[in-house]
Amino acid sequence: QVQLVESGGGLVQAGGSLRLSCAASGLTFSSYGMGWFRQAPGKEREFVAAISRTGGGTYYADSVKGRFTISRDNAKNTVYLQMNSLKPEDTAVYYCAALWRAPRATTGWGTPTQYDYWGQGTQVTVSS
């Protein structure tokens, strides 16, 4: 049974930092691309960042580029999202997701339906 478990969320002031982790089990982690998405109340789920199986390719939403960094440790079956310079508009539930077939187009990394497995999410709240 595949499980993706996010951790590291919490309450932080604007300008602060958080690091999210997503621990995977029940799958061959190094065979999956990984992504982070977020969903704020009343809004649709949106793409944040993604990383290829080997970590050689990373992809970011424009809204987080330069502030967030995605990375992975295949030995630990874990993907990370380092979030710096946080803003109140980053407040959301953050989800990690696993993708088996790498998208043909870069934009595919940002499409939720491309992903095969999802975690339950972790809340990030940024106060102003």
Side-chain angles (χ1 to χ4, degrees):
Q1 182 180 357
V2 175
Q3 281 193 310
L4 302 177
V5 180
E6 301 96 337
S7 61
L11 173 64
V12 64
Q13 288 188 332
S17 298
L18 282 175
R19 189 175 83 151
L20 305 183
S21 299
C22 172
S25 61
L27 53 73
T28 304
F29 183 71
S30 59
S31 296
Y32 284 78
M34 299 297 295
W36 286 97
F37 290 76
R38 66 188 182 187
Q39 189 165 17
K43 295 188 176 181
E44 292 191 353
R45 191 167 297 191
E46 67 170 353
F47 170 70
V48 176
I51 188 166
S52 64
R53 292 177 293 177
T54 63
T58 55
Y59 313 89
Y60 296 94
D62 288 342
S63 59
V64 306
K65 207 171 289 185
R67 299 188 299 123
F68 291 11
T69 302
I70 189 171
S71 62
R72 66 188 296 160
D73 185 339
N74 285 350
K76 295 183 178 180
N77 289 0
T78 301
V79 61
Y80 305 97
L81 185 68
Q82 177 66 44
M83 306 186 295
N84 299 329
S85 302
L86 283 161
K87 305 174 181 180
E89 51 263 44
D90 294 318
T91 295
V93 177
Y94 283 70
Y95 300 90
C96 73
L99 175 153
W100 166 253
R101 184 180 300 276
R104 293 185 177 182
T106 300
T107 53
W109 288 97
T111 305
T113 54
Q114 294 278 350
Y115 290 77
D116 302 290
Y117 302 104
W118 290 83
Q120 293 299 307
T122 185
Q123 176 71 46
V124 171
T125 303
V126 184
S127 63
S128 57

